[in-house]
Amino acid sequence: MPKIEVNEKLFFSLVGRRMDAAELEPALETAKAELDAWDPSGPEDERVIKIELNDTNRPDLWSTAGLARQLRVRLGGGIPEYPFFSREGDQRPADYRVVVDGSIRELRPYMAAFVISGKAIDDAMLRDAIQTQEKLCSNFGRKRRSVSMGMYRIELIKWPVAYKGVDPDAVSFVPLQSDESMTLRRIVAEHPKGKEYGHIIAGSPVYPILMGADGGVLSMAPVINSADIGAVQVGDRDLLVEFTGTDMAAVCLSASIVACDFADAGYEIKPLRVDYAYDTPFGRSVTFPYYFQQPASVDSGRVSKLLGDSFGPEQVVEALARMGVRAEAHGQHVRAAVPEYRDDFIHAVDLVEDVMIGRGMASFSPERPRDFTIGRLSPVESFTRRAKDVMVGLGYQEMIYNYLGSGKDYIERMNASADDVIRISNPMTENFEYVRPSILPGLLQSEAVSSKAPYPHRIFEAGKVAFLDDARNYGTATRQRIGLLCAHQAADYNELAGVVSALLYYLGEEYSVDDSDDPRFLPGRQARILIGGEPVGVFGEVHPAVLGNWGITMPCAACELDLESLL
Amino acid sequence: MDPRSFLKGLHPLEIKVLLRYAPGDGLDAARLAAELGYVEGHANQAQAWLSAKGLAAESGRSSRNVYELTSLGRSWLEAGSPEERMVAWLAEHGPAAMPAICQAVGIEQKDAGSAYGRLSKEGVLAMGQDKLVALVDASKSLRAAALKALLAKADAAGGILEEGALGDAERALMAEVAKKRGAADAAFKAAERETVTWTLTADAAAVSDLLRAEGVSGDELGAVTQEMLESGSWKGAAFRSYNIKSRPARLIPGRRNPYVQFLESVKDKLVSLGFEEFDGGLVETEFWNGDALFMPQFHSARDIHDVYYVSEPTKAKSIEEPYLSRVAATHENGGATGSRGWRYGFDREFTKRLVLRSQGTVLSARQLPTASVPGKYFGIARCFRYDKVDATHLSDFYQTEGIVLGEDVSLRTLLGFLEMFAVEVAGAKEVKYVPGYFPFTEPSVEVHIKHPVLGWFELGGAGIFRPEVTEPLGVSVPVLAWGIGIDRMALMALGLNDLRELFSYDIEDVRLRRAKL
């Protein structure tokens, strides 16, 4: 979930008024945002508010202007107008043009761009734009894979700009954070940003480049800008903002979000036409910012049913307006024009949620459910509780352990085979690399760390184990088991035999025992437990070699029983 | 000093001393043995206990030498010393070679050598030209006779001889046959014993008087025995008072684990609210872990850095139909759900990939195809996350999740449920709801509660399952879905502040833990 920092002064000027924390916190709920930190020290111009955004489908909220917009509208500021958008069949006249070459089609086919103008960019807005670029491209743009963004100084650009794929060894330029001219291939191999993002394009025979009509390089998308045209600074006027990527709607929406942000902050947005050498979902020639969203609709009956309160169509329209969504009622049907900066209305229920927030959570009173249902524990849980009660009566302390552990503990120290143990292919550390195949390693680990606890030790755990099982669809099985261990000077087979007998008697099971050759136990002092001829468990004296592996010097006897087999 | 304060805490061993002796009387273990019949251990206990109460004080200390009969000494007592055995055997069998004698009487060659040396010096034995040992005069074997007498004397004295009890000849012989260290090959072990002399203090007199006044004899009965009850001998007898202030012995009972009990208490509360428990396997497919929950396959929470993958096998053999086809269509274009979908090519191989269950909501989705309407289900599921383990993160942990299906359930009934959980499960005093975001619910809310101890915090998240989740799984009614975080409450109930301690391996730690449930 993205966290952003907003400049306090810029934020409140865009909201329309100042707030204190007590007022801001509930206001942020409208945007599913939470106040993370607000440091009131430092000069007023530089104070920042840290905010966490929970909705990963609302990238429009991940900037100062975008978040402020949601609050402003919800506080009654009205639905903002963005007249610079082109629409299908209604392209705005554009003074700027980018030509997209066929050579980029297979690699990174989509591009959107516009120009901001009208006043010099100030520090707060530049910082915010850089933050927007980072959040948009890393979270929404999947680490620049599907969307990346660049900003450039118009005064250095010769139009039209070309977006094309070029031979990575044939073109060079001076990238940001460097002072020498490098080939595209060298930038990918050596530049810090090349190392971070170069993999997105490195497999392609051509690399993407934005180039002015005079051959001046703007950037190698999505990796790095040039050190001259691409070095935007406070005080610059007239900037080109550009987006490239693999998903036309995502590229287009990102451009719309940034355009609306700058418009809200008082900048003029100038349209730019992109001429493609191939078809895109929005045509071959698209003028950006471009409104591509389809209308969304919902019946007021559905709103009433899901929210549990009666809503007429007009009330739905009104609630949506408070979220900045323009809508009209047609009978019971409400048709909404999706705001330019949003594309998260995937289903009618998404509109229902905006109605909920627009109306205000406090307006919905909790209602006791009326349906009668019978509650019950799962059969496994009920049976396990019976087994645990018996174990407590037999003097055993219940334990509970982690289900992940190391190969050393689960396999090596147990003298057990690794054949049926589930291994994680991407463990974070070798301490959590395997799923436990048995409860016994946990019990022995307890004994190993508890030699100072007064003896005798009698412990048990009931819980799940999992192991490989080729016969099943998932190639694995999960079972509910109980494991028990006693450790003291005289702990032996006979003691456990008595415990097993008592446990199974009270669980209502007739059992028999048979020879066992489990390497975890001492030969001749271990038994398989059979019920109806089927093996359901094992018990015996823990093999001295296993105890040695754990560094245990107290005799131990242990048992493991599959509770699910007894159900 | 209040003499009465001692009365209940006195043991019969102390009482008899107090009644018999006066302050100033010189006491030691020997005197108590002679006059009160105390064995040495009892005499020492009486002294130690009275001293601890300030009723007795040490008055002097002296040491003396004693000789303890060793196990070798005891064997000589029974079978005879090597000298005795040699003389006896030669008397019966006539002259013989040394090795033959050793073997016959069962002694080591070196012991036999020194025994022969002593006996020949006394003129008891002699060795002829033929190297055979022969008996000369058995009556000259004085040393062997003296040793035999000494061993018998020690045995009669309980295995210990005081140095003062020995005559000069005995003392000289003892010096030959006793050793301080390495006494295993000697008949006696020489040791030093301390004698402590002590007296009752002036304070003891008042206690003694009180005992007499109260008629306490020290002969009061101890344990109530079966014999006493059968014979009725307890009637008319007095029972000794016990010291009820003494610390009781520690017991190690069989016991439930407080964290598990906490989890069970949550389950019981949910059952009481009409919820049926569901359960499932630890290994899941991407299909149920994410796809069925309408999380797009490119969603950031499905990254290699969020979910654990099974290394072998990597994939399930198949995914249940018709759910696979319906879910795939829903992702691609909304299918029959009225959604526009995520608009990408659904990967039918990726969906088979095996992962460790990363969210409890998986079990809710799995329940949908067979769920009743109306129906309420819950589970407390062990889940796995790719997280660095610290005080607030575990790589495996429990999530509490549930669903409610009904023709008429709505946001308001959801809030009603959340309020019930907040009050019944979490003990909240105030509840508030704020809009939330979860990929599988719309609308979504978060519930925050004011806990009497923890203050305001987020109890959990909830919402109404998206039609993209429910309809492909065959459910057409609204489904409320909720997840509540109970870890913080668990820590508080157990008085802990580190999640890792919930799964403690330390037996003593768990034994001593108490939970407020």
Side-chain angles (χ1 to χ4, degrees):
Chain A
M1 282 173 281
K3 281 187 185 178
I4 61 168
E5 289 186 4
V6 304
N7 177 286
E8 182 187 310
K9 193 174 166 190
L10 176 64
F11 181 68
F12 287 126
S13 80
L14 289 168
V15 170
R17 62 185 175 88
R18 286 198 61 87
M19 296 176 173
D20 58 16
E23 208 181 349
L24 179 59
E25 280 192 85
L28 286 173
E29 290 168 5
T30 300
K32 301 182 192 174
E34 285 169 51
L35 184 57
D36 196 40
W38 189 356
D39 183 1
S41 62
E44 195 191 350
D45 283 4
E46 291 170 21
R47 288 208 294 257
V48 296
I49 309 173
K50 291 184 184 174
I51 293 168
E52 184 171 350
L53 288 316
N54 289 323
D55 193 336
T56 52
N57 277 348
R58 289 287 305 271
D60 61 296
L61 299 174
W62 306 346
S63 64
T64 305
L67 183 62
R69 179 187 312 123
Q70 185 72 67
L71 269 58
R72 182 177 72 241
V73 172
R74 187 66 179 71
L75 293 168
I79 302 176
E81 306 260 2
Y82 300 107
F84 47 80
F85 272 86
S86 296
R87 287 157 200 272
E88 193 178 355
D90 176 22
Q91 306 269 342
R92 314 301 299 173
D95 295 337
Y96 304 94
R97 194 161 78 94
V98 173
V99 179
V100 180
D101 190 75
S103 55
I104 201 69
R105 185 174 190 175
E106 298 304 318
L107 177 58
R108 200 169 177 81
Y110 304 116
M111 117 87 59
F114 58 87
V115 168
I116 60 177
S117 178
K119 62 176 182 178
I121 191 161
D122 61 18
D123 180 62
M125 204 57 205
L126 181 59
R127 279 172 194 265
D128 198 55
I130 292 168
Q131 175 175 264
T132 306
Q133 173 184 19
E134 189 194 309
K135 300 296 171 190
L136 262 183
C137 301
S138 86
N139 293 49
F140 182 65
R142 299 168 60 197
K143 299 195 175 83
R144 299 193 186 179
R145 201 176 275 281
S146 57
V147 182
S148 65
M149 168 179 163
M151 294 197 291
Y152 312 90
R153 302 154 69 185
I154 290 244
E155 65 202 49
L156 301 179
I157 299 175
K158 291 284 176 278
W159 298 94
V161 166
Y163 174 50
K164 58 187 176 183
V166 297
D167 176 351
D169 298 309
V171 176
S172 13
F173 69 98
V174 182
L176 281 174
Q177 300 151 29
S178 171
D179 47 16
E180 63 167 320
S181 181
M182 303 162 86
T183 64
L184 303 188
R185 193 181 300 283
R186 229 186 108 201
I187 291 172
V188 164
E190 295 173 19
H191 193 279
K193 293 291 174 189
K195 289 177 183 166
E196 194 175 352
Y197 298 108
H199 64 94
I200 299 171
I201 55 171
S204 165
V206 292
Y207 286 8
I209 196 115
L210 279 138
M211 191 181 274
D214 58 352
V217 172
L218 281 68
S219 70
M220 170 168 61
V223 180
I224 188 81
N225 278 8
S226 75
D228 46 17
I229 307 176
V232 175
Q233 290 167 349
V234 171
D236 283 344
R237 304 176 71 96
D238 299 332
L239 301 173
L240 167 66
V241 186
E242 146 284 323
F243 300 81
T244 62
T246 53
D247 177 335
M248 184 61 162
V251 167
C252 196
L253 178 69
S254 302
S256 301
I257 287 169
V258 176
C260 292
D261 283 358
F262 274 97
D264 282 2
Y267 294 82
E268 185 188 344
I269 305 300
K270 293 182 168 176
L272 180 151
R273 194 174 92 222
V274 179
D275 290 324
Y276 286 91
Y278 42 85
D279 289 328
T280 77
F282 306 146
R284 276 188 170 234
S285 180
V286 188
T287 302
F288 295 96
Y290 181 77
Y291 184 82
F292 65 95
Q293 291 89 332
Q294 300 296 314
S297 62
V298 67
D299 284 330
S300 58
R302 181 163 205 156
V303 176
S304 303
K305 183 169 168 56
L306 275 186
L307 298 183
D309 258 348
S310 174
F311 279 81
E314 293 307 325
Q315 291 167 296
V316 173
V317 169
E318 189 188 317
L320 288 175
R322 298 184 69 184
M323 290 299 284
V325 179
R326 217 180 293 277
E328 292 172 0
H330 302 273
Q332 295 304 304
H333 200 64
V334 174
R335 193 176 152 94
V338 177
E340 293 84 347
Y341 45 85
R342 289 179 64 174
D343 189 28
D344 59 315
F345 296 103
I346 298 169
H347 191 283
V349 294
D350 295 300
L351 277 174
V352 174
E353 182 174 272
D354 271 46
V355 173
M356 173 186 87
I357 303 172
R359 165 76 78 92
M361 285 303 306
S363 73
F364 298 95
S365 56
E367 185 179 62
R368 279 284 164 119
R370 287 182 294 264
D371 288 332
F372 181 81
T373 56
I374 296 170
R376 62 170 75 87
L377 293 171
S378 70
V380 167
E381 170 75 10
S382 300
F383 189 75
T384 301
R385 288 191 185 184
R386 280 178 59 198
K388 291 200 245 190
D389 282 348
V390 178
M391 290 316 300
V392 167
L394 290 169
Y396 280 68
Q397 166 72 54
E398 184 184 16
M399 306 294 286
I400 179 169
Y401 303 124
N402 285 111
Y403 284 6
L404 295 184
S406 65
K408 181 164 191 174
D409 287 351
Y410 288 175
I411 301 162
E412 289 168 40
R413 283 185 160 140
M414 299 305 297
N415 282 1
S417 153
D419 290 350
D420 64 349
V421 187
I422 299 171
R423 195 171 80 82
I424 293 168
S425 68
N426 60 327
M428 179 167 256
T429 77
E430 64 181 23
N431 292 332
F432 304 107
E433 190 180 353
Y434 291 88
V435 182
R436 67 174 190 177
S438 159
I439 290 179
L440 297 185
L443 296 170
L444 283 162
Q445 186 174 344
S446 263
E447 179 54 33
V449 302
S450 301
S451 60
K452 289 195 170 63
Y455 282 91
H457 293 170
R458 293 191 171 91
I459 55 175
F460 78 98
E461 188 203 8
K464 298 205 185 299
V465 302
F467 45 85
L468 298 177
D469 180 351
D470 193 46
R472 290 167 192 266
N473 185 22
Y474 285 9
T476 56
T478 298
R479 304 289 291 181
Q480 179 84 353
R481 288 193 181 164
I482 191 166
L484 40 125
L485 176 132
C486 71
H488 56 92
Q489 301 282 3
D492 68 356
Y493 175 89
N494 292 323
E495 177 176 343
L496 257 278
V499 170
V500 168
S501 167
L503 174 62
L504 288 170
Y505 175 81
Y506 289 111
L507 291 179
E509 301 288 345
E510 295 286 340
Y511 76 101
S512 61
V513 294
D514 198 1
D515 289 340
S516 165
D517 58 357
D518 189 323
R520 298 175 299 178
F521 297 96
L522 205 51
R525 298 192 187 179
Q526 54 173 304
R528 285 195 301 163
I529 305 170
L530 306 174
I531 291 180
E534 290 298 312
V536 297
V538 63
F539 70 96
E541 292 180 17
V542 181
H543 200 292
V546 172
L547 296 179
N549 293 341
W550 284 99
I552 295 171
T553 53
M554 186 62 75
C556 291
C559 168
E560 184 163 24
L561 182 66
D562 189 285
L563 289 174
E564 260 179 277
S565 313
L566 310 186
L567 280 177
Chain B
M1 184 211 72
D2 174 13
R4 197 161 286 279
S5 68
F6 291 98
L7 218 51
K8 285 270 166 83
L10 291 171
H11 188 274
L13 291 173
E14 296 169 273
I15 291 169
K16 289 188 177 172
V17 170
L18 287 166
L19 290 174
R20 171 96 184 212
Y21 303 107
D25 290 351
L27 303 177
D28 61 22
R31 184 167 177 192
L32 264 51
E35 296 175 3
L36 291 177
Y38 284 11
V39 298
E40 189 175 351
H42 284 166
N44 291 341
Q45 277 179 323
Q47 186 216 342
W49 292 339
L50 288 166
S51 299
K53 294 184 177 79
L55 300 178
E58 190 177 312
S59 58
R61 198 173 268 262
S62 63
S63 66
R64 64 196 200 279
N65 293 322
V66 299
Y67 302 97
E68 296 169 21
L69 200 55
T70 64
S71 57
L72 182 69
R74 287 194 183 282
S75 74
W76 286 4
L77 193 61
E78 285 167 24
S81 64
E83 283 99 321
E84 266 186 274
R85 280 187 261 174
M86 282 174 79
V87 170
W89 190 85
L90 288 169
E92 190 177 337
H93 295 93
M98 201 62 167
I101 301 171
C102 289
Q103 202 185 346
V105 304
I107 54 179
E108 301 271 329
Q109 189 94 28
K110 65 178 169 63
D111 293 336
S114 52
Y116 171 77
R118 283 190 292 267
L119 289 168
S120 64
K121 205 171 164 190
E122 285 181 314
V124 181
L125 301 182
M127 193 179 288
Q129 293 294 338
D130 50 5
K131 294 282 181 191
L132 293 179
V133 177
L135 182 63
V136 179
D137 180 356
S139 68
K140 287 185 176 171
S141 175
L142 298 176
R143 185 180 180 279
L147 178 58
K148 186 172 182 173
L150 191 60
L151 289 167
K153 183 171 181 177
D155 187 43
I160 296 182
L161 285 173
E162 301 272 342
E163 189 178 29
L166 300 179
D168 289 348
E170 285 173 326
R171 205 170 296 182
L173 179 58
M174 185 63 91
E176 286 177 37
V177 298
K179 273 192 181 178
K180 258 193 173 151
R181 290 186 195 79
D185 60 353
F188 287 91
K189 176 177 166 58
E192 212 168 75
R193 284 276 172 101
E194 276 211 318
T195 304
V196 176
T197 55
W198 50 283
T199 62
L200 294 176
T201 61
D203 284 344
V207 179
S208 302
D209 290 345
L210 186 63
L211 287 171
R212 283 183 202 100
E214 296 277 332
V216 177
S217 68
D219 290 324
E220 289 78 10
L221 297 180
V224 178
T225 65
Q226 185 184 4
E227 183 280 327
M228 233 179 244
L229 296 172
E230 281 172 353
S231 68
S233 68
W234 61 272
K235 287 175 192 160
F239 284 89
R240 175 160 66 87
S241 298
Y242 286 164
N243 178 11
I244 59 167
K245 296 286 170 58
S246 66
R247 179 181 281 272
R250 176 172 172 190
L251 295 183
I252 300 174
R255 207 172 147 258
R256 298 296 313 280
N257 183 293
Y259 178 44
V260 181
Q261 282 182 306
F262 174 82
L263 295 173
E264 289 182 7
S265 74
V266 173
K267 290 185 181 186
D268 291 341
K269 281 173 179 162
L270 290 168
V271 168
S272 77
L273 297 177
F275 284 83
E276 180 173 339
E277 187 186 14
F278 53 52
D279 200 1
L282 302 179
V283 175
E284 261 307 343
T285 49
E286 287 279 8
F287 179 79
W288 289 107
N289 201 62
D291 293 338
L293 293 167
F294 198 54
M295 294 170 74
Q297 292 180 326
F298 54 79
H299 194 281
S300 58
R302 306 185 64 175
D303 196 72
I304 187 153
H305 295 302
D306 286 281
V307 179
Y308 284 124
Y309 297 107
V310 174
S311 75
E312 184 61 42
T314 57
K315 286 175 183 166
K317 294 175 181 125
S318 66
I319 301 293
E320 299 91 321
E321 287 288 8
Y323 310 119
L324 171 60
S325 296
R326 290 187 196 158
V327 167
T330 305
H331 278 242
E332 286 176 346
N333 54 34
T337 65
S339 170
R340 72 175 200 210
W342 286 113
R343 295 176 169 164
Y344 71 101
F346 185 87
D347 186 337
R348 285 173 178 248
E349 285 305 307
F350 175 89
T351 200
K352 287 198 266 187
R353 202 158 58 155
L354 295 174
V355 300
L356 300 188
R357 178 173 64 207
S358 73
Q359 48 188 350
T361 319
V362 174
L363 296 179
S364 297
R366 274 193 163 280
Q367 186 67 38
L368 286 178
T370 55
S372 305
V373 178
K376 300 208 276 277
Y377 302 90
F378 83 100
I380 297 187
R382 191 76 73 102
C383 298
F384 304 86
R385 287 277 169 86
Y386 188 90
D387 252 331
K388 198 165 156 39
V389 172
D390 59 26
T392 55
H393 297 86
L394 297 175
S395 61
D396 65 281
F397 53 92
Y398 282 110
Q399 282 195 339
T400 308
E401 303 272 335
I403 50 174
V404 179
L405 300 88
E407 294 288 350
D408 297 318
V409 298
S410 67
L411 174 72
R412 286 185 55 206
T413 24
L414 176 65
L415 300 185
F417 269 111
L418 295 175
E419 191 172 77
M420 288 197 323
F421 298 153
V423 174
E424 296 296 325
V425 180
K429 299 291 175 214
E430 285 180 64
V431 189
K432 80 174 180 191
Y433 314 95
V434 301
Y437 175 77
F438 307 101
F440 32 80
T441 52
E442 194 81 7
S444 307
V445 297
E446 284 175 5
V447 55
H448 295 248
I449 63 168
K450 192 168 187 181
H451 189 276
V453 177
L454 298 169
W456 280 104
F457 74 94
E458 185 183 334
L459 176 67
I464 302 175
F465 263 147
R466 300 186 66 97
E468 294 99 323
V469 174
T470 54
E471 290 180 18
L473 300 177
V475 172
S476 56
V477 299
V479 178
L480 311 179
W482 51 266
I484 53 177
I486 53 174
D487 285 347
R488 287 186 64 178
M489 283 182 287
L491 289 180
M492 195 198 62
L494 271 61
L496 303 173
N497 45 31
D498 185 328
L499 286 178
R500 287 169 293 195
E501 293 185 77
L502 294 177
F503 299 103
S504 175
Y505 286 86
D506 188 319
I507 294 174
E508 184 71 351
D509 206 43
V510 173
R511 278 174 176 171
L512 297 179
R513 226 169 246 184
R514 286 175 289 192
K516 294 189 209 88
L517 297 178

